[in-house]
Amino acid sequence: MKKSKQDLVIAIDGHSSGGKSTYAKTIAKELGITYVDSGAMYRAVTLFAMENNLIRESIIDEKELVRQLDRISIEIVFNPEGARYETWMNGKNIEDDIRTVAVSSHVSHVSKIREVRETLVDLQREMARDKGVVMDGRDIGTVVFPDADIKIYLTAKPEIRAQRRYDELKEKGMEASYNEIHENIMDRDHQDSTRDISPLKKAEDAVELDNSSMTPEEQMVWFKDLMEKKFGELK
Ligand code: DC
């Protein structure tokens, strides 16, 4: 039986700022299925903690954050007007607020908390129920969807990732320092790969793609080739 696009689960994992979300969005658009940015959810919980005074001088009040987890409602909504996916928390569009350097510098610590992960993994599985989905993150192919149809482990050199992130922030007119971003990326690589629960690692059955010197078009050619080898034609 031919596989239908609406049943596909595609997991894209990899380091920070490796171009996962752009890649995942392009794939979702190409296939006409849903895109879910799981990192945005960890960022939303981090923003919630910051706004509710649960992070002071870089120390997280974990107990209180866990106690308040059920006060956080997160949605990822496609806004046809700007043709972009936006993250909403408790009825408010927080897409820009979760991309600041301040949120980036706390998010790795928040994402180490077991209960935060359990809550968000449940939500991620719920978001993919009965539909085709492309989800990017750190543990999508290893923990969230171990039976995903396609698993891609995306990598790129840290200097290239820092430069891309810098360009992205500048383009949005946001404050940015290359050195600060580079340092943050190195720190997050370390935190994400060495944490006890669900550390970032390549799933055994994932295909690795180093996109350091690839254009977005080349990455899509690579993806289509991978799909064709695996499924032939899709319904
Ligand atoms: O993809 P991102 O850089 O926006 O992710 C933000 C942080 O969230 C990242 O430092 C690690 C964490 N994260 C995670 O632990 N598990 C995921 N599935 C996605 C993100």
Side-chain angles (χ1 to χ4, degrees):
M1 203 178 72
K2 259 194 211 166
K3 184 97 188 165
S4 155
K5 289 177 193 172
Q6 297 309 319
D7 299 331
L8 277 181
V9 175
I10 300 178
I12 303 186
D13 289 302
H15 288 118
S16 301
S17 304
K20 293 186 301 292
S21 74
T22 309
Y23 196 33
K25 275 181 223 165
T26 314
I27 291 172
K29 195 169 170 200
E30 172 80 25
L31 296 172
I33 58 179
T34 303
Y35 162 65
V36 177
D37 174 357
S38 69
M41 300 182 186
Y42 290 92
R43 289 173 178 272
V45 174
T46 305
L47 182 69
F48 176 89
M50 288 164 67
E51 285 179 344
N52 288 278
N53 230 353
L54 302 176
I55 303 181
R56 266 165 278 146
E57 290 169 24
S58 294
I59 312 267
I60 305 168
D61 185 343
E62 286 191 23
K63 217 168 145 198
E64 191 53 27
L65 177 58
V66 168
R67 209 182 61 80
Q68 296 198 26
L69 274 180
D70 61 0
R71 282 185 54 208
I72 312 177
S73 142
I74 302 169
E75 282 171 288
I76 309 232
V77 182
F78 184 73
N79 178 350
E81 229 169 77
R84 65 171 198 159
Y85 286 88
E86 292 171 342
T87 312
W88 287 63
M89 180 170 68
N90 296 341
K92 185 176 167 234
N93 182 346
I94 54 159
E95 185 54 36
D96 292 334
D97 303 345
I98 58 173
R99 307 289 166 191
T100 60
V101 174
V103 170
S104 298
S105 67
H106 294 305
V107 65
S108 285
H109 301 281
V110 170
S111 59
K112 277 185 193 164
I113 304 170
R114 178 180 299 279
E115 292 84 347
V116 169
R117 300 206 71 83
E118 285 169 355
T119 303
L120 294 185
V121 167
D122 283 349
L123 181 59
Q124 287 149 14
R125 291 186 180 142
E126 188 54 43
M127 284 179 172
R129 194 177 300 277
D130 302 326
K131 53 174 167 308
V133 75
V134 185
M135 192 175 294
D136 72 339
R138 305 294 187 288
D139 60 342
I140 309 305
T142 51
V143 175
V144 184
F145 300 120
D147 298 327
D149 299 290
I150 298 251
K151 297 182 186 180
I152 298 171
Y153 188 79
L154 198 64
T155 66
K157 294 188 184 75
E159 303 70 47
I160 292 193
R161 289 187 276 134
Q163 187 64 47
R164 286 182 188 153
R165 185 91 190 102
Y166 175 82
D167 293 343
E168 200 179 292
L169 289 174
K170 279 280 163 193
E171 207 180 286
K172 284 186 188 159
M174 287 165 92
E175 267 306 298
S177 131
Y178 174 85
N179 288 340
E180 204 179 323
I181 292 168
H182 186 262
E183 206 174 298
N184 176 252
I185 281 181
M186 297 301 285
D187 181 50
R188 282 204 287 155
D189 282 4
H190 179 73
Q191 303 280 350
D192 293 348
S193 331
T194 56
R195 68 174 174 231
D196 290 340
I197 319 164
S198 310
L200 168 66
K201 62 169 191 262
K202 179 174 168 282
E204 265 174 33
D205 50 349
V207 197
E208 185 164 337
L209 176 65
D210 183 332
N211 70 5
S212 297
S213 54
M214 282 173 94
T215 63
E217 291 76 22
E218 286 166 341
Q219 292 178 63
M220 278 314 282
V221 170
W222 181 91
F223 174 74
K224 286 180 188 165
D225 195 46
L226 179 71
M227 288 287 286
E228 212 173 287
K229 278 191 195 125
K230 179 132 190 176
F231 301 114
E233 219 179 298
L234 286 166
K235 269 202 283 183

